[in-house]
Amino acid sequence: MKTSYLKAQGVGVMRFARNVQFQVKSGKETELNTLFEKEVLPMLRKQDGFQEEVTLLNPKGAQFISLWDNRKNAETYEKATYPQVLAKLTAFIIGTPNVEIYETASSYARA
């Protein structure tokens, strides 16, 4: 389904995405996932404009993709809450995460 259809149905549509990429310390994948579900996700859900989180994990690293309704809300999260999230993740990651920002080009859901 295209975004215009979703809007017409009253569904929140993502307009902005943050992709946080990093390497996970060996053997810490399960602990990281548990921490994310129990501590980080509840923090995200309290943020204005937060729509969805997609977490991808493989032996090469992880990508945490958060979807937002607009740039302003994502930037507010970046400044106010992301430092707290990063502090929680530090024990599980190698180096500094790479954060990439994306505007929505199109969005589809299963028909």
Side-chain angles (χ1 to χ4, degrees):
M1 291 180 222
K2 204 147 171 62
T3 55
S4 57
Y5 174 78
L6 293 173
K7 281 184 191 176
Q9 301 304 310
V11 175
V13 177
M14 179 272 299
R15 290 281 168 222
F16 194 76
R18 293 179 73 253
N19 183 3
V20 181
Q21 303 168 16
F22 53 88
Q23 285 196 302
V24 180
K25 291 180 181 176
S26 181
K28 296 288 187 179
E29 297 85 1
T30 301
E31 289 178 71
L32 172 66
N33 195 50
T34 299
L35 172 93
F36 186 82
E37 288 179 6
K38 292 185 186 272
E39 296 186 36
V40 176
L41 193 54
M43 292 172 74
L44 280 166
R45 288 181 172 149
K46 292 177 184 175
Q47 303 301 303
D48 287 340
F50 173 73
Q51 299 291 314
E52 185 177 353
E53 177 74 25
V54 178
T55 303
L56 306 172
L57 186 64
N58 71 22
K60 293 180 184 179
Q63 293 190 38
F64 288 7
I65 303 167
S66 56
L67 309 178
W68 299 84
D69 63 350
N70 62 52
R71 178 182 292 273
K72 181 181 178 232
N73 286 330
E75 288 174 348
T76 299
Y77 164 77
E78 175 79 28
K79 293 174 188 165
T81 306
Y82 178 66
Q84 297 168 37
V85 170
L86 186 56
K88 291 179 179 294
L89 300 178
T90 301
F92 304 97
I93 65 176
I94 298 169
T96 303
N98 180 41
V99 179
E100 295 178 337
I101 310 297
Y102 297 91
E103 296 285 339
T104 302
S106 61
S107 179
Y108 300 91
R110 185 178 177 143

